[in-house]
Amino acid sequence: VVQPFAVIVMRILLWMRENLSVGYGWVLVLFGVAVRLVLWPLNQSAMRASLKMQRIQPELSEIQKRYKDNPQKMQSEMMRVYKEHDMSPFSMFAGCLPMFLPLPVLFALFFVFQNTIEFRGVPFLWLSDISLKDPLYITPILMGVSMFVMSWVGMRGVPPNPQAKIMAYVLPAMMTFFFLNFASGLNMYYAVQNIAAIPQQWLVARERVKSGSSTKKK
């Protein structure tokens, strides 16, 4: 399943290497930024849907309490609210989309680093070989920190959620641990695309905070 997609990713990297005349280290950096730019519209749409879902959540909770003994009425009222806000029950899953969209590329790159020779022996900055683990563990730590910052920025203006707060700490720590011995180039790519996603997270978070402030004023 992954191999055909990995071939496409590798061809893109080779094309970038030939046409941009830069080393594979910088190719991975530019590719990480490019992936986030390409996914920007999809992420924006998903984040906006998640924002709308948060706005109507109090109304949905009220309906659930009011009609807890009448499931049919509850369902019809909830569907009415979704329709009024031009949404569907599946909109609740939209907030997870930005998390999963970059994963196919990450899996493909993992396959590329495991099965191709182009990255072997390639130095970059302090790294002597981007196909091997970072001996100083800078890239996996940077990856984990960037993931935490992205989550932290994304939670601004979100109603308090203890589980989400715990995951914001636990998931980056787990990913850092898992990626410690992975290829440093893979860690570098993941860190770069996380950092490239932070501005979009910040813009949506600012919109969420403004929306929350305006709602309170009303």
Side-chain angles (χ1 to χ4, degrees):
V1 175
V2 178
Q3 185 174 3
F5 193 63
V7 171
I8 295 174
V9 170
M10 191 63 211
R11 287 179 178 175
I12 294 174
L13 296 176
L14 290 172
W15 179 88
M16 293 176 66
R17 172 72 175 85
E18 294 174 2
N19 289 272
L20 300 178
S21 299
V22 295
Y24 277 115
W26 287 112
V27 165
L28 289 171
V29 171
L30 295 174
F31 184 66
V33 175
V35 167
R36 278 298 178 177
L37 290 177
V38 170
L39 295 178
W40 186 288
L42 290 174
N43 283 333
Q44 195 76 1
S45 177
M47 290 176 182
R48 289 274 170 80
S50 179
L51 182 58
K52 290 173 66 177
M53 191 68 192
Q54 290 171 10
R55 290 172 182 166
I56 69 171
Q57 193 60 49
E59 191 173 354
L60 295 176
S61 298
E62 180 62 27
I63 291 174
Q64 289 174 336
K65 291 179 181 178
R66 186 181 304 173
Y67 300 107
K68 61 181 180 180
D69 296 326
N70 190 344
Q72 187 174 357
K73 180 66 174 177
M74 180 195 299
Q75 185 177 5
S76 64
E77 285 296 306
M78 292 179 69
M79 291 303 297
R80 177 185 59 80
V81 173
Y82 285 127
K83 188 175 181 180
E84 286 178 355
H85 292 83
D86 194 25
M87 299 176 67
S88 75
F90 298 103
S91 299
M92 68 179 65
F93 301 107
C96 303
L97 189 60
M99 183 188 303
F100 294 109
L101 282 175
L103 290 183
V105 179
L106 183 65
F107 293 149
L109 274 178
F110 177 80
F111 187 89
V112 167
F113 273 102
Q114 291 287 334
N115 297 279
T116 61
I117 63 172
E118 279 79 6
F119 293 137
R120 295 177 187 176
V122 175
F124 181 69
L125 299 179
W126 71 91
L127 302 168
S128 59
D129 189 339
I130 62 174
S131 68
L132 301 178
K133 72 175 185 178
D134 186 341
L136 302 178
Y137 299 106
I138 294 175
T139 51
I141 292 174
L142 180 61
M143 183 275 296
V145 171
S146 64
M147 180 180 288
F148 170 75
V149 173
M150 185 173 66
S151 300
W152 179 77
V153 171
M155 287 193 301
R156 290 183 67 241
V158 175
N161 187 331
Q163 292 180 338
K165 191 173 183 180
I166 291 174
M167 286 301 296
Y169 289 96
V170 173
L171 187 59
M174 289 177 55
M175 292 295 288
T176 301
F177 176 77
F178 289 143
F179 275 64
L180 279 177
N181 294 317
F182 284 3
S184 54
L186 184 65
N187 276 290
M188 182 174 58
Y189 158 79
Y190 201 8
V192 168
Q193 65 97 23
N194 283 341
I195 294 171
I198 292 175
Q200 187 177 32
Q201 290 276 10
W202 181 80
L203 290 173
V204 174
R206 187 177 66 170
E207 182 179 342
R208 185 187 300 118
V209 170
K210 288 183 179 180
S211 175
S213 300
S214 62
T215 302
K216 288 180 181 179
K217 289 180 181 179
K218 292 178 183 180

